[in-house]
């Protein structure tokens, strides 16, 4: 495949949503071009609107088609690169994997994303961090219970699923807020196990071309 035909991922190194997609791409051995979007630059976000009207990352461009929203992109990769499955065959386990992914991607992460924190901090300095901590703690508490019920080696059974792709970004964010994670032993165990997988290592923020941008 020539470089002109490579899919393009518009990403920001510390974006949780982009991180999920990078893990999926690495697990499925998809070669792609990485394009940095500086989310703290209004100019960069305005330029991104030409690709994604929502001015958010990730945006994944493949065969001239622009795909947006991390879980939708991951589902597309699942359908087009099924050799490394991220959804269990069992319908109940598949539902569990999707539910955990949605808990993080829709129920926790949006409440502490950059735009929300910036808006809240304009109201009161430091309020954004307090707000984020509350909802991250509530989300981790629920996640810990679900993982105790459904996990094996990984979040749902003994194979990596779409649920697992959401755990490292969440723990990374929790650490940025200096949260005590000792109350979540199952979450920590799975996160530590995932951290040893080469695809997860490759997708980590520290290993991206724009690492440290506006850190």
């Amino acid at each position: 495949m020539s470089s002109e035909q490579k899919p393009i991922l518009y990403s920001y190194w510390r974006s949780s949503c982009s991180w999920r997609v990078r893990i999926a791409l690495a697990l499925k051995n998809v070669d792609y071009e990485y394009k940095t979007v500086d989310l703290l630059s209004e100019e960069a976000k305005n330029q991104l609107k030409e690709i994604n009207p929502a001015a958010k990352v990730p945006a994944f461009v493949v065969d001239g088609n622009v795909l947006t929203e991390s879980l939708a992109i991951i589902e597309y990769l699942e359908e087009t690169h099924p050799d490394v499955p991220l959804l269990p065959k069992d319908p109940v386990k598949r539902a569990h994997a999707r539910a955990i992914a949605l808990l993080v991607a829709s129920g926790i992460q949006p409440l502490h994303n950059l735009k929300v924190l910036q808006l809240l901090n304009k109201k009161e300095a430091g309020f954004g961090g307090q707000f984020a901590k509350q909802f991250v703690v509530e989300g981790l508490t629920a996640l810990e219970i679900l993982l105790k019920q459904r996990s094996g080696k990984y979040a749902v059974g003994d194979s990596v699923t779409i649920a697992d792709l959401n755990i490292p970004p969440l723990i990374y964010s929790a650490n940025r807020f200096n949260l005590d994670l000792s109350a979540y032993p199952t979450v920590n165990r799975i996160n530590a196990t995932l951290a040893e997988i080469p695809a997860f290592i490759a997708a980590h923020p520290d290993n991206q071309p724009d690492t440290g941008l506006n850190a």
Side-chain angles (χ1 to χ4, degrees), residues 6 10 12 33 41 49 53 81 96 122 132 139 143 161 164 167 170 173 185 190 203 210 214-215:
K6 283 184 182 180
Y10 289 83
Y12 178 67
E33 180 182 353
S41 165
K49 287 181 181 178
H81 299 79
H96 287 334
K122 286 181 180 179
L143 180 61
T161 69
D164 296 287
I167 293 175
L170 177 60
S173 294
I190 293 170
D210 54 335
N214 294 317

Side-chain angles (χ1 to χ4, degrees), residues 16 20 99-113 116 131-144 146 166 169-171 173-174 177 179:
S16 296
R20 298 177 201 127
I100 290 170
L102 286 167
L103 168 65
V104 179
S106 298
I108 306 174
Q109 186 270 326
L111 294 170
H112 68 271
N113 70 18
V116 170
F131 178 91
K133 287 178 181 179
Q134 175 183 338
F135 288 103
V136 172
V137 167
E138 290 181 5
L140 279 168
T141 301
L143 180 61
E144 175 68 19
L146 288 175
N166 294 267
L170 177 60
I171 298 304
S173 294
F177 293 121
L179 293 179

Side-chain angles (χ1 to χ4, degrees), residues 15-28 58 69-78 84-88 96-105 109 143 147 154-156 159-173 187 190-191 193-195 197 199-201 203-205:
S15 159
S16 296
C17 302
S18 298
W19 190 347
R20 298 177 201 127
V21 173
R22 294 196 304 260
I23 296 171
L25 288 165
L27 285 169
K28 292 177 176 291
E69 300 299 332
S70 62
L71 295 186
I73 295 170
I74 292 167
E75 293 265 5
Y76 164 82
L77 293 171
E78 180 72 358
V84 183
L86 294 175
L87 288 171
H96 287 334
R98 283 186 166 127
I100 290 170
L102 286 167
L103 168 65
V104 179
Q109 186 270 326
L143 180 61
L147 293 182
Y154 302 109
V156 179
S159 298
V160 172
T161 69
I162 193 171
D164 296 287
L165 276 56
N166 294 267
I167 293 175
L170 177 60
I171 298 304
Y172 185 91
S173 294
V187 178
I190 293 170
N191 187 59
T193 301
L194 296 171
I197 299 174
F200 281 77
I201 295 171
H204 193 279

